[in-house]
Amino acid sequence: MSAAATNGMAPLSSLTNSQREELHQSILEYMHRSGFEDAYEALKKDADMPDFSASTAPPKVVGLLEKKWTGTVRLQKKVIAYEQQIANLEAELKAAPTGRRAASQADWLPSNDPSRILEGHRKQVISVVFHPTFSVVATASEDCDVKVWDWQSGECEATLKGHTQSVKDVDFDAKGQFLATSSADTQIKLWDSNNQWRCTKTLAGHEHVVSAVRFLPGGAQLVSASRDETIRIWEASSGYCVRTIQGGAWIKCMSLAEDGQTLVTGGDDQVAKAWNLTSAQSKAECREHAHVVDAIALAPAAAYPALRQLGGMPASNQNAPGLFAASGDRDKTIIIWDTASGHPVKKLLGHDGWIRGLCWAPNGKFLLSCADDGKLKVWDLKQGGRCCRTVENPHDENGRSRFLTSMAWARAKVDAGPRPDGESATAVVPRINAVATTGSDTRICIWTP
């Protein structure tokens, strides 16, 4: 019987048996390596681990105690810094006029200079996604790595290795626990943020490059699109493919509606398509493009009134997710279209390169785009879709313009839920305004108000 039990002390109820064993092993390994032999032998006896040998300890516990300690110190410093930032921001908010404060949040748009630049990838960055709750982004790169960043501090929190070829896309589930990645190696991988970002599942079945991947609402299933001309739906828990839909072309990009019913895709057949995922049938096609469609994004419901006015449509109270989409092609053209009929609402011209990324402002007033011309453009939906702002060369490097490859707007914080550390989330969770762009310069640019 252990000393803890003899003295009437309760065991560590917050730890599982495996976690408790790993903790004891890491402490014993540290004591032995530090020369604390008396304490080492005493803990072996008290922990009832007479057969443990530090010289043959599992690799994962070697040096684990120091890693955890330094990690805790680093996090504590970040918490102190964030508390100071919060105090400063609260002071600024109290001093700012109410109208100006509301406008800065609701109508904010990226300006010329990014707030933060994230550096660490070794090759072109292809895709970026914001965590649904916390100040985290994940990025996919041609260097075969996935990186997880704290976009407020600029620190790289983790580098995920496992794919053997270029990583094409990344997506968080609605709770932010799991990250899905797709790759040119034909595989999809799931990574668990609650388990040190370990790869917990590999989904195999596609026969060529997996261009895009998205979690369906609830996180129990995923949808992927590939150069093998198929759309596949997967069960996240088992990794099984439960449905295969013939796409008819190399599918380069996709966007999923909030309710998981409508999926829009773009491909090398120069067609943007809308799919009903329940019936697995194509419901509309936009055939207005003259080249490969590389970017696509479904509009938020907040944009519907402006889009109906833009297209000369009658006003309507119908606000179901997935009614309108924007798609961009290699002919330098962006087309906003009706996903029920495929009819174009508006063509937007102004870029001088392939359209690589699209995202909608959550307030429904603007559409943002980025392209191979190295520019980020903002299109005002209430002003006839005119370009109201151009950010020149945000990924410019030493005077050399670089391609922009993708972009994303931070997800709205609707219900943060419980934090991973067990603390309760705040009752009122504000919307985050932040935009990220990726480029051929290997960097990620972050814009914030």
Side-chain angles (χ1 to χ4, degrees), residues 2 12 21 24 40 55 99 106 117 128 158 167 222 228 241 244 252 257 301 322 336 339 359 382-383 391 447:
S2 69
L12 297 174
E21 182 180 5
H24 290 160
Y40 172 76
S55 60
I117 296 178
V128 60
V167 186
L222 304 94
D228 65 13
C241 176
T244 300
K252 304 279 291 182
I336 301 174
T339 63
C359 69
K382 293 190 175 182
Q383 298 296 323
V391 180
W447 280 267

Side-chain angles (χ1 to χ4, degrees), residues 177-232:
Q177 178 179 350
F178 290 99
L179 176 70
T181 60
S182 67
S183 169
D185 64 11
T186 76
Q187 295 183 339
I188 299 162
K189 291 183 179 291
L190 302 183
W191 312 80
D192 188 352
S193 66
N194 290 346
N195 192 15
Q196 299 181 338
W197 295 104
R198 288 191 174 95
C199 178
T200 58
K201 195 75 64 179
T202 297
L203 284 53
H206 278 297
E207 298 175 0
H208 217 306
V209 176
V210 187
S211 310
V213 64
R214 293 289 180 273
F215 277 99
L216 269 68
Q221 292 184 321
L222 304 94
V223 59
S224 61
S226 170
R227 188 175 178 177
D228 65 13
E229 303 187 358
T230 67
I231 299 166
R232 293 175 184 256

Side-chain angles (χ1 to χ4, degrees), residues 214-274:
R214 293 289 180 273
F215 277 99
L216 269 68
Q221 292 184 321
L222 304 94
V223 59
S224 61
S226 170
R227 188 175 178 177
D228 65 13
E229 303 187 358
T230 67
I231 299 166
R232 293 175 184 256
I233 299 177
W234 308 80
E235 188 178 76
S237 60
S238 66
Y240 293 147
C241 176
V242 296
R243 174 170 282 181
T244 300
I245 305 170
Q246 297 301 319
W250 176 1
I251 302 171
K252 304 279 291 182
C253 55
M254 69 180 184
S255 179
L256 181 67
E258 294 176 1
D259 61 0
Q261 298 297 310
T262 299
L263 179 77
V264 290
T265 61
D268 69 349
D269 58 355
Q270 306 177 18
V271 179
K273 299 179 182 179

Side-chain angles (χ1 to χ4, degrees), residues 211-415:
S211 310
V213 64
R214 293 289 180 273
F215 277 99
L216 269 68
Q221 292 184 321
L222 304 94
V223 59
S224 61
S226 170
R227 188 175 178 177
D228 65 13
E229 303 187 358
T230 67
I231 299 166
R232 293 175 184 256
I233 299 177
W234 308 80
E235 188 178 76
S237 60
S238 66
Y240 293 147
C241 176
V242 296
R243 174 170 282 181
T244 300
I245 305 170
Q246 297 301 319
W250 176 1
I251 302 171
K252 304 279 291 182
C253 55
M254 69 180 184
S255 179
L256 181 67
E258 294 176 1
D259 61 0
Q261 298 297 310
T262 299
L263 179 77
V264 290
T265 61
D268 69 349
D269 58 355
Q270 306 177 18
V271 179
K273 299 179 182 179
W275 304 82
N276 183 317
L277 283 188
T278 303
S279 64
Q281 298 295 318
S282 172
K283 64 178 188 177
E285 295 182 352
C286 176
R287 294 185 168 270
E288 298 293 318
H289 288 287
H291 214 309
V292 175
V293 180
D294 280 319
I296 198 162
L298 283 164
Y304 292 177
L307 293 178
R308 290 186 176 112
Q309 183 177 6
L310 194 62
M313 303 175 185
S316 172
N317 292 326
Q318 188 178 2
N319 289 317
L323 297 187
F324 296 93
S327 47
D329 63 30
R330 297 183 182 180
D331 194 36
K332 313 171 189 177
T333 304
I334 300 167
I335 299 176
I336 301 174
W337 51 284
D338 182 340
T339 63
S341 64
H343 293 159
V345 173
K346 183 73 175 181
K347 283 189 178 182
L348 306 178
L349 301 173
H351 276 294
D352 193 27
W354 295 1
I355 311 299
R356 293 294 195 179
L358 295 165
C359 69
W360 299 83
N363 62 15
K365 296 180 180 180
F366 307 100
L367 174 67
L368 281 66
S369 61
C370 66
D372 279 358
D373 59 8
K375 297 176 182 178
L376 185 158
K377 287 185 177 289
V378 180
W379 310 85
D380 190 333
L381 304 178
K382 293 190 175 182
Q383 298 296 323
R386 70 177 182 87
C387 179
C388 63
R389 179 174 298 180
T390 297
V391 180
E392 298 282 350
N393 302 327
H395 286 258
D396 177 80
E397 186 179 38
N398 298 324
R400 181 181 177 187
S401 179
R402 298 293 185 138
F403 294 168
L404 271 67
T405 54
S406 73
M407 67 189 315
W409 197 297
R411 300 187 185 187
K413 284 186 172 184
V414 178
D415 181 9

